[in-house]
Amino acid sequence: MTAFLMTILIVGALFNVVTWPTFLRRVARDPRSTDADGRRTRFFTVHLVLVVIALVLAALFILGAVLIGTAPIGTIAL
């Protein structure tokens, strides 16, 4: 069960790291991302916050997988 949980966490982290930056590049090219003066709009800011949260979660997923993988046997109650 521990190996399965570690795998799920790592796959989730990889998904976030691969998918969300690509999404942000698409959002950055969207005309709604900048106003007439070339400044970033709330549309971009909201999506940037979503991407940052997803990447922080990815880091936490990896941390969780490492902690689960290095925990002494019998200390993790699933």
Side-chain angles (χ1 to χ4, degrees), residues 74-78:
T75 59
I76 299 174
L78 298 175

Side-chain angles (χ1 to χ4, degrees), residues 1-2 5-6 9 11-12 16 18 20 24 29-30 34 36 38 40-42 49 51 53 56 61 64 68 70:
M1 182 68 171
T2 302
L5 183 57
M6 288 174 58
L9 289 170
V11 168
N16 282 349
V18 170
W20 286 100
L24 185 61
R29 287 192 300 258
D30 192 298
T34 55
R40 295 293 184 185
T41 61
R42 288 186 180 174
V49 169
V51 171
I53 290 170
V56 167
F61 289 173
I68 289 170
T70 59

Side-chain angles (χ1 to χ4, degrees), residues 25-46:
R25 283 192 291 275
R26 290 180 54 205
V27 168
R29 287 192 300 258
D30 192 298
R32 295 172 288 179
S33 291
T34 55
D35 61 11
D37 297 330
R39 292 178 303 206
R40 295 293 184 185
T41 61
R42 288 186 180 174
F43 174 82
F44 180 81
T45 304
V46 165

Side-chain angles (χ1 to χ4, degrees), residues 4-22 50-66:
F4 176 72
L5 183 57
M6 288 174 58
T7 302
I8 293 297
L9 289 170
I10 291 169
V11 168
L14 288 174
F15 175 82
N16 282 349
V17 168
V18 170
T19 304
W20 286 100
T22 304
L50 289 173
V51 171
V52 168
I53 290 170
L55 294 177
V56 167
L57 285 174
L60 291 174
F61 289 173
I62 293 296
L63 177 64
V66 168

